């Protein structure tokens, strides 16, 4: 039987694992129940298991029967602090949600471990499984690299691959891109300091709210007038907080933005220009602004040869029509970029919209209404395993 046939036979177990993880989501770097569930899923397999110190990571190595290189396969495990509203019978009820599909990634990677462990005698090298917490803004990949994940098999990987499901892509479709695939991210934190007072007498106070509002709109103008459209920049203010009552002028206003770029030059310029702009607006209002620009993840840049290899593997295993080259990069960010900065590899998106549905009508990743079809679990597990087997044999 093929790897895909074996993955289909494993599908009921993968669905049970995924739905159990979905019911009990955990956020951040500390995922004790998720870690315990992954260890249970791997129990009995001929794997060398390692656990993280500063985070609830799991590493597992399957030793091939013949000498050869090491391939790394990564699946992230953490959820988001989102209250679930998706109409699924296994919805979470603890204020968190697997709204980005990491529960599927974890189940797929566990499935790949079963598939490859069963074929270990035929493997021409070793496979390193990287079960990672804290992708959603916690830099779990960076933490695992700091704890030595790349050396867990005794030799550094020759290639690394990751899979990510997308709720708004056609069911079962794969897509990847050579080179820059996802943006770098940074955080912009701004606190505007004024002087509080009565809302009926603003001239006796120093109101930070209008100044902060002006900063938000000025940042949007900055993007369109100071940056080349062919080196894209996205600035989105997702948090704005000021005051406690409508008739009280607060002492401070605070907002936070996410910044996405595709080059080191653009990120450096945003850091410099945004800080100058915010301080200038504050000074024009007779106020003071504290500004912090904090780089997060680098650009997710895939290796050209590894991406071509991944695309060929998808076409050969699933059919020519199942792979679609990604034309433009995504402005989302990924800490798998840390791994791809250290190891040549690639990253692939897998459409998980329910069969027969219109992907355009589906709620996107990170939405409280996001839904992912369990029917793609076998495909993801099989692709992980095929990439490892084929890459070791090169």
């Amino acid at each position: 039987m093929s790897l895909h046939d074996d993955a289909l036979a494993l599908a009921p177990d993968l669905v049970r694992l995924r739905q159990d993880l979905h019911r009990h989501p955990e956020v951040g770097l500390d995922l004790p129940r998720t870690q315990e569930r992954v260890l249970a899923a791997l129990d009995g397999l001929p794997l060398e298991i390692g656990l993280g110190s500063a985070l609830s990571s799991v590493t597992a190595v399957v030793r091939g029967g013949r000498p050869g290189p090491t391939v790394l396969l990564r699946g992230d495990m953490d959820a988001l602090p989102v209250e679930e509203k998706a109409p699924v019978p296994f919805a979470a009820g603890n204020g968190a949600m697997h709204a980005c599909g990491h529960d599927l990634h974890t189940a797929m990677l566990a499935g790949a471990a079963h598939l490859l462990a069963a074929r270990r005698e035929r493997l021409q090298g070793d496979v390193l499984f990287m079960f990672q917490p804290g992708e959603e803004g916690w830099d779990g990949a960076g933490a695992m690299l700091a704890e030595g994940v790349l050396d867990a098999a005794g030799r550094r990987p020759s290639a690394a691959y990751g899979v990510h499901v997308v709720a708004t892509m056609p069911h079962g479709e794969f897509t990847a891109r050579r080179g820059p695939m996802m943006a770098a991210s940074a955080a912009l934190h701004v606190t505007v300091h004024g002087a509080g007072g009565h809302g009926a007498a603003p001239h006796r106070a120093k109101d930070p709210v209008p100044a902060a509002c002006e900063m938000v709109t000025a940042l949007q103008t900055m993007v369109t007038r100071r940056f080349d459209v062919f080196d894209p920049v996205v600035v989105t203010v997702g948090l704005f907080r000021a005051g406690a009552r409508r008739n009280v002028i607060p002492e401070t206003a605070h907002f936070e933005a996410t910044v996405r770029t595709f080059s080191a030059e653009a990120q450096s310029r945003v850091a410099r220009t945004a800080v100058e702009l915010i301080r200038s607006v504050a000074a024009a209002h007779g106020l003071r602004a504290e500004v912090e620009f904090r780089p997060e993840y680098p650009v997710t840049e895939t290796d050209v040869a590894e991406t071509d290899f991944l695309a060929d593997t998808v076409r050969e295993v699933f059919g020519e029509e199942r792979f679609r080259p990604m034309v433009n990069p995504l402005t989302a960010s990924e800490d798998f970029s840390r791994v791809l900065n250290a190891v040549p590899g690639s990253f692939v998106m897998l459409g998980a919209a329910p069969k027969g549905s219109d992907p355009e009508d589906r709620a996107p990743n990170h939405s409280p209404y996001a839904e992912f079809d369990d029917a793609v679990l076998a495909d993801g597990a099989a692709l992980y395993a095929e990439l490892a087997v084929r890459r070791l044999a090169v």
Side-chain angles (χ1 to χ4, degrees), residues 66-81:
R66 289 177 281 175
T70 298
V71 169
L72 182 149
L73 304 175
R74 178 269 206 162
D76 40 7
M77 306 190 295
D78 58 317
L80 285 156

Side-chain angles (χ1 to χ4, degrees), residues 31-41:
L31 317 178
R33 188 189 184 281
T34 303
Q35 183 187 61
E36 179 183 330
R37 194 66 186 84
V38 168
L39 291 173

Side-chain angles (χ1 to χ4, degrees), residues 74 76 100 102 105 135-136 162-166 175-186 231-232 234 259-264 267 297-303 307 326-338 340-341 346-350 365-366:
R74 178 269 206 162
D76 40 7
C100 205
H102 296 184
H105 306 162
E135 189 279 328
E136 296 289 359
V163 177
H164 204 300
V165 293
V166 181
T175 186
R177 188 177 193 274
R178 296 164 144 201
M181 181 173 172
M182 301 177 77
S185 66
D231 188 6
V234 175
V259 180
R260 307 301 169 105
T261 53
F262 288 93
S263 70
Q267 187 179 83
Y297 302 156
V299 174
T300 301
E301 188 155 359
T302 66
D303 180 84
T307 303
M326 182 185 292
V327 177
N328 298 313
L330 305 174
T331 49
S333 300
E334 247 290 344
D335 69 354
F336 190 57
S337 56
R338 303 278 193 207
L340 294 180
N341 272 359
S346 195
F347 197 55
V348 63
M349 302 297 182
L350 170 57
N365 290 35
H366 288 217

Side-chain angles (χ1 to χ4, degrees), residues 176-231:
R177 188 177 193 274
R178 296 164 144 201
M181 181 173 172
M182 301 177 77
S185 66
L188 181 67
H189 296 257
V190 179
T191 301
V192 184
H193 294 270
H198 199 295
H203 60 290
R204 295 186 179 276
K206 291 184 177 181
D207 192 348
V209 175
C213 292
E214 187 174 323
M215 293 170 190
V216 172
T217 56
L219 286 169
Q220 308 308 309
T221 304
M222 176 197 76
V223 169
T224 63
R225 292 297 178 269
R226 301 287 295 275
F227 291 89
D228 187 343
V229 296
F230 296 106
D231 188 6

Side-chain angles (χ1 to χ4, degrees), residues 17 21 34 38 75-78 98 101-111 131-132 384:
L17 174 58
L21 294 171
T34 303
V38 168
D76 40 7
M77 306 190 295
D78 58 317
H98 274 291
H102 296 184
D103 50 340
L104 284 86
H105 306 162
T106 305
M108 290 171 180
L109 192 57
F131 291 91
Q132 181 211 308
Y384 271 131

Side-chain angles (χ1 to χ4, degrees), residues 301-381:
E301 188 155 359
T302 66
D303 180 84
V304 171
E306 295 294 348
T307 303
D308 288 345
F309 164 74
L310 183 150
D312 289 343
T313 299
V314 171
R315 292 184 179 110
E316 290 172 18
V317 174
F318 301 103
E320 186 75 28
E321 73 286 353
R322 293 281 296 276
F323 185 81
R324 175 179 56 84
M326 182 185 292
V327 177
N328 298 313
L330 305 174
T331 49
S333 300
E334 247 290 344
D335 69 354
F336 190 57
S337 56
R338 303 278 193 207
V339 176
L340 294 180
N341 272 359
V343 178
S346 195
F347 197 55
V348 63
M349 302 297 182
L350 170 57
K355 281 185 180 179
S357 68
D358 183 351
E360 295 295 325
D361 292 336
R362 310 302 304 180
N365 290 35
H366 288 217
S367 165
Y369 297 97
E371 294 182 64
F372 304 90
D373 194 340
D374 286 335
V376 302
L377 290 169
D379 287 356

